[in-house]
Amino acid sequence: MNNDFSLEGKVAVVTGSSTGLGQGMAIGLAEAGADIIGIASRSNQDDTKKEVEKTGRKFYQIQADLSQQDQIVSLVEESISKTGRVDILVNNAGIIRRNQAENFTDEDWDAVIDVNLNAVFRLTREFGNHMIEHGTGKIINIASMLSFQGGLKVPAYAATKHAVAGLTKSFANEWASKGVNVNAIAPPGYMITNNTAAIREDETRYQYITSRIPQGEWGNPPEDLKGPVIFLASSASRYVNGHILCVDGGWMGS
Ligand code: NAD
C-alpha cells in the first residue's frame, strides 16, 4: 500500500462501532494500521473487537449513551486516557425516527437532535481541542444524502444531517490552519444496515430507489466505506478540508 494511506501508529475513535457502517469503518481503519476506541450504546461490541483484533490492532471498548450531553466531556477524557492520544475521530453514531411531518413528536425531534447533532458538536469540539494541542488530527463526520435532500417522514434526521454538513465546513474553516482536517462522508440512504431496514421492507419503495441509483445497487458496508474513510483519516487527504464526500453509487449526480 502507498504509505500515504497508512494509519500505522494512529488511534481512531469510532462512535456507533457496534454494528453497521461504524463497525465496517472501524475494521477498515484497523486494517490500515490504527488501534480503535469503539464507543457505542450497546455493551456488546464483541464482533467488532474480534474483527479488529484479527488485523493485529488493539480494540478498546467504551459503552456510553451519546444522548446524555452532560457526559460527553468525561467520555472524551476516558477515551483519551485509554491510549494517551487520539489522532482520528469518526462521528458515526446516529439514529433515525420516522413519522409524517405533521405528526412528528417533540420527543422524536429531541432524541434525534441530541444524538445526531448535539453529540457530534461536543465530541468534535472536545477531541478537536486535544488534536489542536498536538498540531494534527483528522475528524470525519458521517453525513447523509439527507444533508442535501429532505427525504420523507424524517424531518429531524434531515435537519441534523444538513447541520452536520454545516458543522463540518465551519470547523474545517477554523481548524485547517491548526493541522486538523475536518471532512464528512455522505453515504446514501441506501446502504444495507439496520438504519434502512424499514425502507428495504417496502418492496415498491425498494425497487424504485434501486432503479434510481446509477450504479444499480445499494451500498454494501463495510466494503464501500473502507476506502473513503481510510483516505480521509490518512495523510493522503492532507489538503482536503470541509469536503462532503458522497459515497452513493452516483445518486447525487443523477
Ligand atoms: P445502525 O443503526 O446500524 O448503527 C448505529 C450505531 O450507533 C450503533 O453502533 C449504535 O449503538 C450507535 N448509537 C445509536 N444511538 C446511540 C447513542 N445514544 N449512544 C451511543 N451510540 C449510539 O446505523 P447505520 O446505518 O450504521 O448508521 C451509521 C451512521 O451512518 C449514522 O450516522 C447514519 O445516519 C449514517 N447513515 C447511514 C445510512 C445507511 O444507509 N445505513 C445512510 C446515510 C447515513
Side-chain angles (χ1 to χ4, degrees):
M1 189 192 267
N2 180 323
N3 273 346
D4 286 350
F5 292 91
S6 170
L7 301 178
E8 210 70 45
K10 305 286 185 192
V11 176
V13 168
V14 180
T15 67
S17 48
S18 63
T19 181
L21 308 189
Q23 182 180 58
M25 289 188 287
I27 297 164
L29 293 169
E31 286 171 353
D35 289 334
I36 307 295
I37 300 172
I39 299 175
S41 49
R42 288 191 206 152
S43 54
N44 186 340
Q45 293 200 60
D46 289 354
D47 290 348
T48 313
K49 182 175 161 63
K50 198 169 73 191
E51 293 302 317
V52 165
E53 288 177 349
K54 265 192 210 163
T55 71
R57 309 315 317 173
K58 294 197 177 91
F59 182 79
Y60 304 89
Q61 171 173 322
I62 298 180
Q63 185 185 357
D65 180 358
L66 291 172
S67 68
Q68 303 302 306
Q69 301 306 306
D70 57 349
Q71 291 171 20
I72 290 199
V73 172
S74 58
L75 171 64
V76 171
E77 286 166 359
E78 183 188 351
S79 307
I80 295 170
S81 75
K82 298 260 179 216
T83 51
R85 179 165 172 161
V86 167
D87 306 282
I88 299 156
L89 166 66
V90 182
N91 276 313
N92 163 76
I95 59 171
I96 195 159
R97 298 275 171 92
R98 299 176 199 275
N99 205 344
Q100 285 161 324
E102 62 271 30
N103 298 325
F104 208 83
T105 64
D106 289 352
E107 192 197 355
D108 281 347
W109 175 266
D110 290 342
V112 175
I113 299 280
D114 267 338
V115 177
N116 293 15
L117 179 57
N118 289 337
V120 171
F121 164 68
R122 294 191 169 98
L123 288 167
T124 301
R125 184 188 61 199
E126 296 303 317
F127 279 113
N129 269 307
H130 168 78
M131 292 172 185
I132 287 168
E133 264 173 41
H134 291 97
T136 177
K138 300 278 187 177
I139 297 178
I140 302 152
N141 295 324
I142 302 307
S144 167
M145 285 301 100
L146 297 193
S147 296
F148 311 101
Q149 303 172 328
L152 284 174
K153 300 185 186 170
V154 287
Y157 185 84
T160 58
K161 293 300 181 179
H162 275 69
V164 163
L167 270 187
T168 301
K169 293 174 194 169
S170 156
F171 274 103
N173 281 345
E174 293 199 39
W175 289 357
S177 62
K178 298 180 178 177
V180 179
N181 300 71
V182 187
N183 290 291
I185 294 175
Y190 313 122
M191 289 257 169
I192 300 169
T193 68
N194 301 337
N195 186 301
T196 56
I199 311 182
R200 283 179 287 115
E201 278 161 19
D202 179 342
E203 189 57 28
T204 313
R205 198 143 172 242
Y206 175 73
Q207 293 301 345
Y208 171 70
I209 289 168
T210 308
S211 72
R212 282 201 51 199
I213 302 172
Q215 205 165 319
E217 57 183 341
W218 286 48
N220 195 12
E223 296 311 323
D224 293 327
L225 282 181
K226 280 184 183 176
V229 78
I230 292 168
F231 168 62
L232 291 177
S234 68
S235 60
S237 59
R238 190 192 71 84
Y239 202 55
V240 179
N241 299 281
H243 184 66
I244 319 289
L245 178 58
C246 295
V247 181
D248 64 352
W251 177 275
M252 280 307 288
S254 68

